[in-house]
Amino acid sequence: MHPGATGALGAAVAGALQAGGMPLRLLVRSVARAPHLAGAVLLPCAYADRSGADVALEGVKTLFMVSASESAELLDEHRDFIDAAAAAGVGHIVYTSFLGAAPDVMAALVGDDGVIRGPAADGRVAIVTPADIARVATRVMADPAAHRDVTYDVTGPEALSMDEIARLLSEAGERSVVFHDESVAEAYASRRRWGAPSWQNDARVSTYTAIASGELSTVSTDMRRVTGRQPLSLQEFLVAPYAQLSGWPPAE
């Protein structure tokens, strides 16, 4: 069973599992946006939809759960959904959380003026591609009992500073990208013009402060331990980002 199958990560894992012959039940917010996989059962549902979750999870043994988009209700929605899974007798939940941001998010942080702004200082982040997260998740889903009660830190092969990330984005793109290190006060002030709720600005700013503090600089070997292959670097990803999500299951 697979909630969150409409995003890049969810679709990649679903495709890999389908290619491996695993029966799939895809729980999606929008059936129209769901990947078209032969034999997969599609059920519309959201994390906040407890009654829909109760129906969708009935008879499920292994659940792949992609973290929901940030919201003020995210924690409660996750808890309710996990409670529904427990009540349905789900044996294994494979959950993706947040350690380091994906490279496609890094490109999205660039403003219209080609500047990445945030209080990251000279901190480093071991960014990881969606394709590599999907490779690990697929291996775990194939044999969940072998990974019971284990947390894997899936990171890229190197920890980069924001200046280095800006340089790589510049080299791969059609415009110059630079990093401007804001103070925390400046970061909140520059985001206030968007009129977002306070929790959302907290989330946006805390991504950078986590980088500054070194919380996201860990370079893990878990990707190689689980899959037998080295994770992609940001530079490799930027050469052909969408190609990295094709060709499933991944070659060894």
Side-chain angles (χ1 to χ4, degrees):
M1 197 278 180
H2 192 308
T6 55
L9 174 59
V13 174
L17 295 174
Q18 190 264 354
M22 184 176 292
L24 295 180
R25 186 185 305 179
L26 306 181
L27 179 57
V28 295
R29 285 174 296 177
S30 170
V31 172
R33 294 179 53 222
H36 299 288
L37 300 174
V41 176
L42 300 179
L43 292 175
C45 188
Y47 285 129
D49 179 11
R50 176 59 189 264
S51 61
D54 288 338
V55 173
L57 293 166
E58 186 177 353
V60 169
K61 299 304 180 186
T62 303
L63 167 68
F64 178 57
M65 181 178 172
V66 180
S67 180
S69 300
E70 289 175 345
S71 74
E73 295 78 30
L74 182 147
L75 188 58
D76 288 337
E77 290 178 0
H78 279 192
R79 284 174 173 160
D80 287 345
F81 189 78
I82 292 171
D83 285 345
V90 174
H92 301 277
I93 298 178
V94 180
Y95 172 72
T96 61
S97 186
F98 180 85
L99 175 64
D104 55 338
V105 175
M106 287 296 159
L109 295 177
V110 182
D112 293 337
D113 56 357
V115 180
I116 302 175
R117 291 181 171 85
D122 57 355
R124 293 180 172 271
V125 54
I127 48 181
V128 62
T129 70
D132 283 331
I133 299 172
R135 289 184 175 100
V136 174
T138 301
R139 286 299 180 88
V140 174
M141 288 289 289
D143 186 11
H147 305 273
R148 182 189 292 272
D149 297 330
V150 176
T151 298
Y152 294 116
D153 293 333
V154 186
T155 74
E158 57 187 348
L160 301 170
S161 70
M162 295 304 294
D163 284 322
E164 291 170 336
I165 289 169
R167 175 179 57 78
L168 289 171
L169 291 173
S170 295
E171 292 172 353
E174 298 179 353
R175 61 171 175 166
S176 174
V177 177
V178 298
F179 168 61
H180 172 65
D181 182 33
E182 296 178 308
S183 69
V184 172
E186 288 172 334
Y188 275 101
S190 66
R191 287 153 179 81
R192 199 169 293 131
R193 61 193 175 106
W194 301 112
S198 59
W199 64 262
Q200 195 168 63
N201 285 332
D202 289 341
R204 291 170 175 170
V205 174
S206 66
T207 297
Y208 290 96
T209 56
I211 293 172
S213 69
E215 293 177 41
L216 304 183
S217 63
T218 299
V219 177
S220 170
T221 60
D222 285 350
M223 165 76 185
R224 177 176 288 279
R225 182 153 62 98
V226 175
T227 70
R229 60 185 294 166
Q230 181 78 353
L232 293 166
S233 67
L234 174 59
Q235 187 172 30
E236 291 168 330
F237 177 88
L238 291 172
V239 171
Y242 299 107
Q244 309 300 345
L245 287 174
S246 62
W248 295 91
E252 290 304 321

